[in-house]
Amino acid sequence: MDTIDPPVRVMALHALAYCERLFYLEEVEEIRVADAAVYAGRTLHAELERDLPEDGTAWVAVDLGSDALGLTGRVDCLKRRDGLLIPYEHKRGRHRQENKEPAAWDSDAVQIGAYAMLLEEHLGQPIDEGRIRYHATNTTVRLPIEAGLRERVRQAVRRTKELRRSTERPPITSEERRCIRCSLAPVCLPEETRQEHDPAWEPVRLFPQDREERTIHVVTQGAKVGRSGDTLSCSDEVELNTKIPIREISDVVLHGFTQITTQAIRLCADHNVGVHWVTTTGRYIAGLAVGPGRVQRRLRQYAALCDSAGCLGLARRLAHARAEGQLRYILRSTRGDDGARTAVAPAIQSIRHGLHGVGTADSIDSLRGYEGSAAAAYFEAVRHCFSSSVPESLRYTTRSRRPPKDRFNALLSFGYGLLYQKVLSAILTVGLEPALGFYHTPRSAAHPLVLDLMELFRVPLWDIPLIGSINRGQWNPEAHFSVASQAVWLSEAGRKQAINLFESRLQETWKHPITEYSLSYARQIELEVRLLEKEWTGEPGLFARMRLR
Ligand code: SF4
């Protein structure tokens, strides 16, 4: 078996010594996040190259590889001192303290030991010393390449081979301080796992609060997205004819008959930027799926979601979260209004009955029955959440989908279409298979897992801001809608207003009641997808616990 194992990168040994789970996420699942520390490291190495002496006694970025050792890597710097070659590793951070003396961190020692062994094999002469330069403390630690260190390197290579063959993620590290500096903390979510194991644990937020990138919606019919270098240019009024650097974009959504050039699609593909095509009514048509997800993640998802008891458990929690969110919203929006509270009383009772049934349902079919009756009661109650100033033309009598028969239903459907795209993007970012869900069945072109996860977000991300905007008189029944005899759609102005409302909502922050830290709603979607994945990666219990306050 050993002969067919590809060599492991020395940097991966460094990750392994830091945390086995970090190694697994980076090397096996191939998840890499270039955070500020990574960029700072690249700058440091560029400076090394610039400061290279020209007397032939030093070399930077030397590539080495050995089948016998099973290693490959790039030494930061090689220097000749008194006729001997010494490998140098440069670190931005501080050294460790041992007996009041500067010392190397274990992961750095393994790294420089591996470089020394590679160099020995390459040159056919012993390398007795490696040096690690810690720039934050301006210290150089000299490290003898002794037998114990060589054995640690060989052990580490053996361990990487075991982990590469495993489909199980190793557990989180017990040394929580390491997670604070780990670039993969937003993927790994170690603090949430610690809190699940110990309810008294006070988690530190290692998940970014806001999204750094934005979604570009191209709405004006005939508008075109093009490429100019590493920027996208857009002739849409929503984007004000600007050029936007690709690194500031998470997705491009093309509504109706808008255009994108092949060059722009290629730029998006190269930078993992999703491209989505939707109809003018907000129905999802197709997308450029980026980050196809690694096979281990899909295998784990398939295995987990083939277990019908496990699926029922997840579906129960999901349906409970949705119905409870609906109930809380109705109670909150009718508080202090005796007339409205009396009008929604039967619906509240039905939702409570549905909630009780959801908790005890013994099959997906009976769960659907309880959840469906709670949803019907909710839409009945929402009619009483409008303020008295809302015109009749913006009210509704019942939920109608394909096609929407009134303005409110047109708004509802369009917003759910936006939510669908956002949830799909989050699922693809995490690397899960959107076609494989645990509750919805594949009856339409919509991906079941997207429909599953949308249930958590319909009320907080669209129903609440939409009804609020209607009550504030922000919708013009004429200018924002296009009314036909059998259907109502949003006009172009209406679509732009709906997109702005939705995108603003995504930026709002909200405190997760379980993890107890604030996140934007955009991040909240991704967090829930990652918590769902934890259900089948040995850390269950956190998915679908978000609730409206
Ligand atoms: S966040 Fe912590 S547990 Fe997770 S990979 Fe990084 S160091 Fe390991």
Side-chain angles (χ1 to χ4, degrees):
M1 273 302 272
D2 281 2
T3 51
I4 59 165
D5 282 321
V8 64
R9 297 180 313 127
V10 174
M11 276 304 290
L13 293 193
H14 183 272
L16 182 87
Y18 193 78
C19 168
E20 287 202 348
R21 187 171 168 104
L22 175 62
F23 167 85
Y24 192 87
L25 291 172
E26 284 191 338
E27 299 301 314
V28 182
E29 300 195 26
E30 298 186 26
I31 304 168
R32 298 205 176 92
V33 177
D35 64 0
V38 174
Y39 285 119
R42 286 181 195 158
T43 310
L44 176 65
H45 289 102
E47 283 167 8
L48 279 179
E49 208 148 331
R50 197 190 55 211
D51 297 339
L52 184 69
E54 293 177 355
D55 59 1
T57 60
W59 301 264
V60 292
V62 180
D63 287 315
L64 299 163
S66 160
D67 288 340
L69 291 168
L71 281 171
T72 175
R74 174 175 288 187
V75 191
D76 278 350
C77 185
L78 278 180
K79 288 186 182 169
R80 194 177 292 284
R81 294 280 181 268
D82 303 325
L84 298 175
L85 270 179
I86 299 177
Y88 278 70
E89 181 61 24
H90 287 261
K91 299 291 178 193
R92 285 182 319 108
R94 303 168 167 275
H95 60 263
R96 185 171 67 86
Q97 205 73 13
E98 188 177 281
N99 299 329
K100 298 190 178 164
E101 291 293 323
W105 297 97
D106 192 47
S107 49
D108 299 340
V110 168
Q111 190 179 0
I112 200 73
Y115 287 136
M117 290 164 73
L118 276 170
L119 203 55
E120 272 176 349
E121 190 182 292
H122 188 72
L123 299 173
Q125 65 181 62
I127 302 292
D128 298 327
E129 183 185 321
R131 296 183 189 177
I132 305 170
R133 178 85 181 146
Y134 290 98
H135 286 252
T137 46
N138 213 9
T139 314
T140 301
V141 175
R142 300 174 64 161
L143 207 71
I145 312 297
E146 30 75 30
L149 179 58
R150 291 167 195 274
E151 182 50 28
R152 272 159 59 205
V153 171
R154 280 190 281 268
Q155 263 177 13
V157 173
R158 286 196 289 273
R159 182 66 181 140
T160 63
K161 290 177 182 174
E162 288 167 13
L163 288 173
R164 276 175 167 175
R165 290 182 194 127
S166 168
T167 55
E168 296 289 320
R169 270 186 198 167
I172 59 169
T173 176
S174 56
E175 297 190 45
E176 65 267 11
R177 279 188 311 171
R178 296 190 175 190
C179 302
I180 293 168
R181 298 172 54 83
C182 177
S183 63
L184 285 187
V187 175
C188 170
L189 302 178
E191 288 290 276
E192 289 74 3
T193 302
R194 290 183 185 110
Q195 193 194 31
E196 179 61 8
H197 292 160
D198 174 9
W201 185 268
E202 291 184 10
V204 179
R205 183 168 57 75
L206 300 175
F207 198 77
Q209 177 170 351
D210 301 311
R211 358 176 233 178
E212 292 89 12
E213 304 97 9
R214 56 200 274 213
T215 300
I216 306 296
H217 288 272
V218 191
V219 180
T220 306
Q221 298 305 284
K224 187 157 94 177
V225 177
R227 174 183 183 169
S228 172
D230 275 352
T231 65
L232 290 185
S233 58
C234 182
S235 59
D236 191 313
E237 287 164 32
V238 169
E239 296 303 336
L240 301 171
N241 254 333
T242 46
K243 285 185 178 174
I244 306 156
I246 193 74
R247 66 174 183 282
E248 293 177 10
I249 301 172
S250 62
D251 303 270
V252 177
V253 185
L254 297 143
H255 293 253
F257 298 104
T258 53
Q259 314 281 325
I260 184 167
T261 65
T262 306
Q263 291 85 345
I265 293 174
R266 175 62 198 271
L267 183 66
C268 291
D270 287 346
H271 289 81
N272 280 355
V273 170
V275 182
H276 307 271
W277 286 265
V278 300
T279 65
T280 51
T281 59
R283 187 170 56 79
Y284 195 83
I285 304 170
L288 172 68
V290 289
R294 295 299 146 190
V295 72
Q296 283 84 356
R297 315 190 94 173
R298 305 271 170 131
L299 287 175
R300 283 193 303 248
Q301 183 187 355
Y302 289 138
L305 299 186
C306 285
D307 168 23
S308 52
C311 286
L312 178 61
L314 287 173
R316 264 205 221 110
R317 277 153 61 187
L318 185 78
H320 203 275
R322 183 187 182 192
E324 208 169 286
Q326 292 169 334
L327 179 62
R328 288 185 187 201
Y329 174 57
I330 297 298
L331 289 172
R332 198 171 76 185
S333 56
T334 54
R335 192 179 300 144
D337 181 341
D338 291 344
R341 184 55 71 85
T342 305
V344 299
I348 288 175
Q349 201 177 358
S350 292
I351 300 174
R352 286 200 167 120
H353 175 72
L355 263 172
H356 178 73
V358 158
T360 55
D362 58 4
S363 71
I364 289 279
D365 280 344
S366 79
L367 185 63
R368 283 198 191 103
Y370 287 117
E371 195 242 335
S373 64
Y378 166 74
F379 278 109
E380 172 61 29
V382 164
R383 296 195 302 129
H384 302 282
C385 297
F386 293 118
S387 75
S388 55
S389 60
V390 172
E392 204 52 43
S393 57
L394 287 174
R395 296 171 184 262
Y396 71 102
T397 47
T398 186
R399 178 83 177 103
S400 56
R401 292 178 179 78
R402 282 178 286 272
K405 296 214 173 351
D406 53 50
R407 290 171 177 81
F408 182 77
N409 274 290
L411 282 166
L412 219 48
S413 293
F414 188 80
Y416 291 158
L418 296 175
L419 180 60
Y420 181 93
Q421 179 271 316
K422 203 55 66 184
V423 173
L424 174 62
S425 290
I427 290 171
L428 293 174
T429 298
V430 173
L432 298 186
E433 168 57 64
L436 190 61
F438 53 88
Y439 186 35
H440 287 82
T441 48
R443 276 186 305 198
S444 66
H447 293 302
L449 189 61
V450 182
L451 297 176
D452 289 351
L453 282 152
M454 277 177 69
E455 301 298 355
L456 291 175
F457 298 102
R458 287 179 195 266
V459 174
L461 257 72
W462 190 234
D463 297 5
I464 292 176
L466 174 63
I467 294 164
S469 69
I470 291 173
N471 284 339
R472 289 191 298 276
Q474 292 178 338
W475 294 93
N476 182 323
E478 309 311 321
H480 288 141
F481 299 90
S482 170
V483 182
S485 59
Q486 292 295 320
V488 178
W489 312 112
L490 297 191
S491 66
E492 198 166 286
R495 292 198 295 276
K496 287 177 182 174
Q497 169 136 320
I499 288 165
N500 286 336
L501 182 66
F502 182 69
E503 291 291 329
S504 308
R505 183 64 166 176
L506 286 175
Q507 298 306 323
E508 284 176 29
T509 56
W510 179 78
K511 196 180 210 179
H512 194 293
I514 304 300
T515 59
E516 283 288 329
Y517 54 64
S518 292
L519 289 177
S520 68
Y521 278 110
R523 282 283 179 202
Q524 196 74 50
I525 298 175
E526 187 190 326
L527 177 67
E528 279 300 327
V529 181
R530 294 198 184 282
L531 294 178
L532 173 64
E533 193 188 23
K534 276 180 175 269
E535 294 292 326
W536 52 77
T537 53
E539 294 147 358
L542 286 164
F543 170 65
R545 287 171 67 178
M546 59 175 289
R547 295 288 188 277
L548 285 181
R549 287 193 189 277

PDB file of all heavy atoms in Angstrom, residues 18-23 25 171-173 175-176 178-179 182-185 188-190 194 206, ligand 1:
ATOM      1  N   TYR A  18      -0.009  20.352  14.753  1.00  0.00           N
ATOM      2  CA  TYR A  18      -0.813  21.394  15.412  1.00  0.00           C
ATOM      3  C   TYR A  18      -2.135  20.813  15.884  1.00  0.00           C
ATOM      4  O   TYR A  18      -2.562  21.027  17.006  1.00  0.00           O
ATOM      5  CB  TYR A  18      -1.058  22.517  14.405  1.00  0.00           C
ATOM      6  CG  TYR A  18      -1.602  23.790  14.996  1.00  0.00           C
ATOM      7  CD1 TYR A  18      -0.774  24.681  15.664  1.00  0.00           C
ATOM      8  CD2 TYR A  18      -2.948  24.100  14.873  1.00  0.00           C
ATOM      9  CE1 TYR A  18      -1.274  25.851  16.207  1.00  0.00           C
ATOM     10  CE2 TYR A  18      -3.462  25.271  15.411  1.00  0.00           C
ATOM     11  CZ  TYR A  18      -2.621  26.143  16.069  1.00  0.00           C
ATOM     12  OH  TYR A  18      -3.118  27.304  16.600  1.00  0.00           O
ATOM     13  N   CYS A  19      -2.777  20.049  14.978  1.00  0.00           N
ATOM     14  CA  CYS A  19      -4.081  19.457  15.313  1.00  0.00           C
ATOM     15  C   CYS A  19      -4.426  18.453  14.213  1.00  0.00           C
ATOM     16  O   CYS A  19      -4.437  18.797  13.033  1.00  0.00           O
ATOM     17  CB  CYS A  19      -5.143  20.557  15.375  1.00  0.00           C
ATOM     18  SG  CYS A  19      -6.837  19.937  15.443  1.00  0.00           S
ATOM     19  N   GLU A  20      -4.713  17.210  14.607  1.00  0.00           N
ATOM     20  CA  GLU A  20      -4.994  16.173  13.599  1.00  0.00           C
ATOM     21  C   GLU A  20      -6.226  16.529  12.762  1.00  0.00           C
ATOM     22  O   GLU A  20      -6.310  16.213  11.582  1.00  0.00           O
ATOM     23  CB  GLU A  20      -5.204  14.820  14.271  1.00  0.00           C
ATOM     24  CG  GLU A  20      -3.915  14.221  14.779  1.00  0.00           C
ATOM     25  CD  GLU A  20      -4.005  12.721  14.954  1.00  0.00           C
ATOM     26  OE1 GLU A  20      -5.125  12.182  14.897  1.00  0.00           O
ATOM     27  OE2 GLU A  20      -2.937  12.099  15.134  1.00  0.00           O
ATOM     28  N   ARG A  21      -7.178  17.177  13.399  1.00  0.00           N
ATOM     29  CA  ARG A  21      -8.394  17.542  12.661  1.00  0.00           C
ATOM     30  C   ARG A  21      -8.072  18.586  11.585  1.00  0.00           C
ATOM     31  O   ARG A  21      -8.639  18.565  10.494  1.00  0.00           O
ATOM     32  CB  ARG A  21      -9.423  18.094  13.640  1.00  0.00           C
ATOM     33  CG  ARG A  21     -10.784  18.354  13.056  1.00  0.00           C
ATOM     34  CD  ARG A  21     -11.677  18.677  14.218  1.00  0.00           C
ATOM     35  NE  ARG A  21     -12.948  19.224  13.892  1.00  0.00           N
ATOM     36  CZ  ARG A  21     -14.091  18.550  13.932  1.00  0.00           C
ATOM     37  NH1 ARG A  21     -14.094  17.272  14.182  1.00  0.00           N
ATOM     38  NH2 ARG A  21     -15.235  19.145  13.695  1.00  0.00           N
ATOM     39  N   LEU A  22      -7.161  19.505  11.905  1.00  0.00           N
ATOM     40  CA  LEU A  22      -6.758  20.514  10.920  1.00  0.00           C
ATOM     41  C   LEU A  22      -6.120  19.825   9.705  1.00  0.00           C
ATOM     42  O   LEU A  22      -6.420  20.152   8.554  1.00  0.00           O
ATOM     43  CB  LEU A  22      -5.771  21.499  11.555  1.00  0.00           C
ATOM     44  CG  LEU A  22      -5.166  22.536  10.624  1.00  0.00           C
ATOM     45  CD1 LEU A  22      -6.232  23.445  10.033  1.00  0.00           C
ATOM     46  CD2 LEU A  22      -4.110  23.370  11.359  1.00  0.00           C
ATOM     47  N   PHE A  23      -5.245  18.851   9.981  1.00  0.00           N
ATOM     48  CA  PHE A  23      -4.641  18.096   8.876  1.00  0.00           C
ATOM     49  C   PHE A  23      -5.730  17.469   8.014  1.00  0.00           C
ATOM     50  O   PHE A  23      -5.713  17.548   6.791  1.00  0.00           O
ATOM     51  CB  PHE A  23      -3.716  16.999   9.420  1.00  0.00           C
ATOM     52  CG  PHE A  23      -3.319  16.007   8.363  1.00  0.00           C
ATOM     53  CD1 PHE A  23      -2.246  16.256   7.523  1.00  0.00           C
ATOM     54  CD2 PHE A  23      -4.057  14.839   8.173  1.00  0.00           C
ATOM     55  CE1 PHE A  23      -1.907  15.361   6.511  1.00  0.00           C
ATOM     56  CE2 PHE A  23      -3.723  13.933   7.159  1.00  0.00           C
ATOM     57  CZ  PHE A  23      -2.643  14.205   6.338  1.00  0.00           C
ATOM     58  N   LEU A  25      -8.954  18.194   7.657  1.00  0.00           N
ATOM     59  CA  LEU A  25      -9.775  19.154   6.904  1.00  0.00           C
ATOM     60  C   LEU A  25      -8.995  19.687   5.691  1.00  0.00           C
ATOM     61  O   LEU A  25      -9.545  19.816   4.595  1.00  0.00           O
ATOM     62  CB  LEU A  25     -10.193  20.320   7.800  1.00  0.00           C
ATOM     63  CG  LEU A  25     -11.196  19.983   8.915  1.00  0.00           C
ATOM     64  CD1 LEU A  25     -11.377  21.170   9.860  1.00  0.00           C
ATOM     65  CD2 LEU A  25     -12.550  19.590   8.335  1.00  0.00           C
ATOM     66  N   PRO A 171     -11.384  14.083  16.218  1.00  0.00           N
ATOM     67  CA  PRO A 171     -12.076  15.019  17.114  1.00  0.00           C
ATOM     68  C   PRO A 171     -11.353  16.362  17.209  1.00  0.00           C
ATOM     69  O   PRO A 171     -10.200  16.483  16.805  1.00  0.00           O
ATOM     70  CB  PRO A 171     -12.048  14.292  18.465  1.00  0.00           C
ATOM     71  CG  PRO A 171     -10.925  13.327  18.363  1.00  0.00           C
ATOM     72  CD  PRO A 171     -10.785  12.943  16.929  1.00  0.00           C
ATOM     73  N   ILE A 172     -12.051  17.351  17.769  1.00  0.00           N
ATOM     74  CA  ILE A 172     -11.424  18.664  17.946  1.00  0.00           C
ATOM     75  C   ILE A 172     -10.305  18.564  18.982  1.00  0.00           C
ATOM     76  O   ILE A 172     -10.309  17.669  19.823  1.00  0.00           O
ATOM     77  CB  ILE A 172     -12.446  19.728  18.388  1.00  0.00           C
ATOM     78  CG1 ILE A 172     -13.111  19.323  19.696  1.00  0.00           C
ATOM     79  CG2 ILE A 172     -13.468  19.988  17.304  1.00  0.00           C
ATOM     80  CD1 ILE A 172     -13.916  20.445  20.323  1.00  0.00           C
ATOM     81  N   THR A 173      -9.366  19.472  18.912  1.00  0.00           N
ATOM     82  CA  THR A 173      -8.240  19.435  19.848  1.00  0.00           C
ATOM     83  C   THR A 173      -8.701  19.780  21.254  1.00  0.00           C
ATOM     84  O   THR A 173      -9.640  20.564  21.458  1.00  0.00           O
ATOM     85  CB  THR A 173      -7.137  20.420  19.410  1.00  0.00           C
ATOM     86  OG1 THR A 173      -6.112  20.418  20.398  1.00  0.00           O
ATOM     87  CG2 THR A 173      -7.651  21.829  19.260  1.00  0.00           C
ATOM     88  N   GLU A 175      -6.756  21.328  23.188  1.00  0.00           N
ATOM     89  CA  GLU A 175      -6.071  22.589  23.527  1.00  0.00           C
ATOM     90  C   GLU A 175      -6.770  23.736  22.812  1.00  0.00           C
ATOM     91  O   GLU A 175      -6.397  24.119  21.699  1.00  0.00           O
ATOM     92  CB  GLU A 175      -4.608  22.498  23.122  1.00  0.00           C
ATOM     93  CG  GLU A 175      -3.901  21.420  23.905  1.00  0.00           C
ATOM     94  CD  GLU A 175      -2.415  21.452  23.703  1.00  0.00           C
ATOM     95  OE1 GLU A 175      -1.833  22.544  23.752  1.00  0.00           O
ATOM     96  OE2 GLU A 175      -1.852  20.379  23.454  1.00  0.00           O
ATOM     97  N   GLU A 176      -7.825  24.249  23.470  1.00  0.00           N
ATOM     98  CA  GLU A 176      -8.717  25.192  22.790  1.00  0.00           C
ATOM     99  C   GLU A 176      -8.029  26.477  22.336  1.00  0.00           C
ATOM    100  O   GLU A 176      -8.483  27.132  21.407  1.00  0.00           O
ATOM    101  CB  GLU A 176      -9.949  25.508  23.644  1.00  0.00           C
ATOM    102  CG  GLU A 176      -9.682  26.241  24.928  1.00  0.00           C
ATOM    103  CD  GLU A 176      -9.511  25.309  26.108  1.00  0.00           C
ATOM    104  OE1 GLU A 176      -9.390  24.091  25.906  1.00  0.00           O
ATOM    105  OE2 GLU A 176      -9.483  25.821  27.250  1.00  0.00           O
ATOM    106  N   ARG A 178      -5.469  26.763  20.660  1.00  0.00           N
ATOM    107  CA  ARG A 178      -5.000  26.609  19.281  1.00  0.00           C
ATOM    108  C   ARG A 178      -6.069  27.023  18.270  1.00  0.00           C
ATOM    109  O   ARG A 178      -5.770  27.470  17.180  1.00  0.00           O
ATOM    110  CB  ARG A 178      -4.587  25.163  19.016  1.00  0.00           C
ATOM    111  CG  ARG A 178      -3.419  24.756  19.849  1.00  0.00           C
ATOM    112  CD  ARG A 178      -2.858  23.425  19.443  1.00  0.00           C
ATOM    113  NE  ARG A 178      -1.650  23.184  20.227  1.00  0.00           N
ATOM    114  CZ  ARG A 178      -0.788  22.225  20.015  1.00  0.00           C
ATOM    115  NH1 ARG A 178      -0.995  21.389  19.039  1.00  0.00           N
ATOM    116  NH2 ARG A 178       0.277  22.093  20.766  1.00  0.00           N
ATOM    117  N   CYS A 179      -7.318  26.828  18.659  1.00  0.00           N
ATOM    118  CA  CYS A 179      -8.415  27.101  17.718  1.00  0.00           C
ATOM    119  C   CYS A 179      -8.518  28.593  17.403  1.00  0.00           C
ATOM    120  O   CYS A 179      -8.968  28.972  16.324  1.00  0.00           O
ATOM    121  CB  CYS A 179      -9.734  26.590  18.289  1.00  0.00           C
ATOM    122  SG  CYS A 179      -9.682  24.826  18.650  1.00  0.00           S
ATOM    123  N   CYS A 182      -6.551  29.301  14.438  1.00  0.00           N
ATOM    124  CA  CYS A 182      -6.689  28.331  13.342  1.00  0.00           C
ATOM    125  C   CYS A 182      -7.555  28.913  12.215  1.00  0.00           C
ATOM    126  O   CYS A 182      -8.691  29.346  12.459  1.00  0.00           O
ATOM    127  CB  CYS A 182      -7.311  27.047  13.875  1.00  0.00           C
ATOM    128  SG  CYS A 182      -7.609  25.832  12.597  1.00  0.00           S
ATOM    129  N   SER A 183      -7.037  28.877  10.999  1.00  0.00           N
ATOM    130  CA  SER A 183      -7.778  29.473   9.871  1.00  0.00           C
ATOM    131  C   SER A 183      -9.049  28.676   9.555  1.00  0.00           C
ATOM    132  O   SER A 183      -9.963  29.188   8.921  1.00  0.00           O
ATOM    133  CB  SER A 183      -6.894  29.544   8.632  1.00  0.00           C
ATOM    134  OG  SER A 183      -6.542  28.237   8.223  1.00  0.00           O
ATOM    135  N   LEU A 184      -9.120  27.408   9.997  1.00  0.00           N
ATOM    136  CA  LEU A 184     -10.292  26.600   9.665  1.00  0.00           C
ATOM    137  C   LEU A 184     -11.334  26.546  10.785  1.00  0.00           C
ATOM    138  O   LEU A 184     -12.290  25.774  10.707  1.00  0.00           O
ATOM    139  CB  LEU A 184      -9.867  25.183   9.277  1.00  0.00           C
ATOM    140  CG  LEU A 184      -9.240  25.083   7.892  1.00  0.00           C
ATOM    141  CD1 LEU A 184      -9.005  23.636   7.501  1.00  0.00           C
ATOM    142  CD2 LEU A 184     -10.102  25.746   6.834  1.00  0.00           C
ATOM    143  N   ALA A 185     -11.163  27.386  11.793  1.00  0.00           N
ATOM    144  CA  ALA A 185     -12.159  27.401  12.881  1.00  0.00           C
ATOM    145  C   ALA A 185     -13.577  27.652  12.366  1.00  0.00           C
ATOM    146  O   ALA A 185     -14.525  27.026  12.845  1.00  0.00           O
ATOM    147  CB  ALA A 185     -11.769  28.434  13.937  1.00  0.00           C
ATOM    148  N   CYS A 188     -14.640  24.243  11.143  1.00  0.00           N
ATOM    149  CA  CYS A 188     -14.580  23.183  12.158  1.00  0.00           C
ATOM    150  C   CYS A 188     -15.599  23.392  13.282  1.00  0.00           C
ATOM    151  O   CYS A 188     -16.164  22.446  13.805  1.00  0.00           O
ATOM    152  CB  CYS A 188     -13.149  23.176  12.699  1.00  0.00           C
ATOM    153  SG  CYS A 188     -12.906  22.161  14.131  1.00  0.00           S
ATOM    154  N   LEU A 189     -15.865  24.648  13.648  1.00  0.00           N
ATOM    155  CA  LEU A 189     -16.798  25.017  14.722  1.00  0.00           C
ATOM    156  C   LEU A 189     -16.494  24.297  16.042  1.00  0.00           C
ATOM    157  O   LEU A 189     -17.352  23.623  16.620  1.00  0.00           O
ATOM    158  CB  LEU A 189     -18.248  24.737  14.300  1.00  0.00           C
ATOM    159  CG  LEU A 189     -18.723  25.442  13.034  1.00  0.00           C
ATOM    160  CD1 LEU A 189     -20.149  25.041  12.691  1.00  0.00           C
ATOM    161  CD2 LEU A 189     -18.645  26.960  13.191  1.00  0.00           C
ATOM    162  N   PRO A 190     -15.266  24.430  16.539  1.00  0.00           N
ATOM    163  CA  PRO A 190     -14.896  23.690  17.760  1.00  0.00           C
ATOM    164  C   PRO A 190     -15.626  24.191  18.998  1.00  0.00           C
ATOM    165  O   PRO A 190     -15.950  23.405  19.889  1.00  0.00           O
ATOM    166  CB  PRO A 190     -13.389  23.952  17.883  1.00  0.00           C
ATOM    167  CG  PRO A 190     -13.185  25.274  17.209  1.00  0.00           C
ATOM    168  CD  PRO A 190     -14.168  25.292  16.072  1.00  0.00           C
ATOM    169  N   ARG A 194     -17.696  22.103  21.867  1.00  0.00           N
ATOM    170  CA  ARG A 194     -17.373  22.140  23.310  1.00  0.00           C
ATOM    171  C   ARG A 194     -18.609  22.509  24.118  1.00  0.00           C
ATOM    172  O   ARG A 194     -18.860  21.946  25.186  1.00  0.00           O
ATOM    173  CB  ARG A 194     -16.259  23.166  23.568  1.00  0.00           C
ATOM    174  CG  ARG A 194     -14.929  22.710  23.022  1.00  0.00           C
ATOM    175  CD  ARG A 194     -13.792  23.649  23.321  1.00  0.00           C
ATOM    176  NE  ARG A 194     -12.609  23.145  22.636  1.00  0.00           N
ATOM    177  CZ  ARG A 194     -12.035  23.721  21.583  1.00  0.00           C
ATOM    178  NH1 ARG A 194     -12.478  24.866  21.120  1.00  0.00           N
ATOM    179  NH2 ARG A 194     -11.002  23.149  20.994  1.00  0.00           N
ATOM    180  N   LEU A 206     -15.736  32.105  16.836  1.00  0.00           N
ATOM    181  CA  LEU A 206     -14.648  31.935  15.877  1.00  0.00           C
ATOM    182  C   LEU A 206     -15.195  31.954  14.455  1.00  0.00           C
ATOM    183  O   LEU A 206     -14.454  31.768  13.504  1.00  0.00           O
ATOM    184  CB  LEU A 206     -13.919  30.605  16.127  1.00  0.00           C
ATOM    185  CG  LEU A 206     -13.294  30.454  17.519  1.00  0.00           C
ATOM    186  CD1 LEU A 206     -12.706  29.066  17.683  1.00  0.00           C
ATOM    187  CD2 LEU A 206     -12.227  31.501  17.740  1.00  0.00           C
TER     188      LEU A 206
HETATM  189  S1  SF4 B   1     -10.421  24.904  14.973  1.00  0.00           S
HETATM  190 FE1  SF4 B   1      -9.277  23.827  16.573  1.00  0.00          FE
HETATM  191  S2  SF4 B   1     -10.037  21.713  16.518  1.00  0.00           S
HETATM  192 FE2  SF4 B   1     -10.639  22.701  14.602  1.00  0.00          FE
HETATM  193  S3  SF4 B   1      -9.042  22.205  13.149  1.00  0.00           S
HETATM  194 FE3  SF4 B   1      -8.492  24.184  14.042  1.00  0.00          FE
HETATM  195  S4  SF4 B   1      -7.190  23.717  15.795  1.00  0.00           S
HETATM  196 FE4  SF4 B   1      -8.216  21.810  15.208  1.00  0.00          FE
END
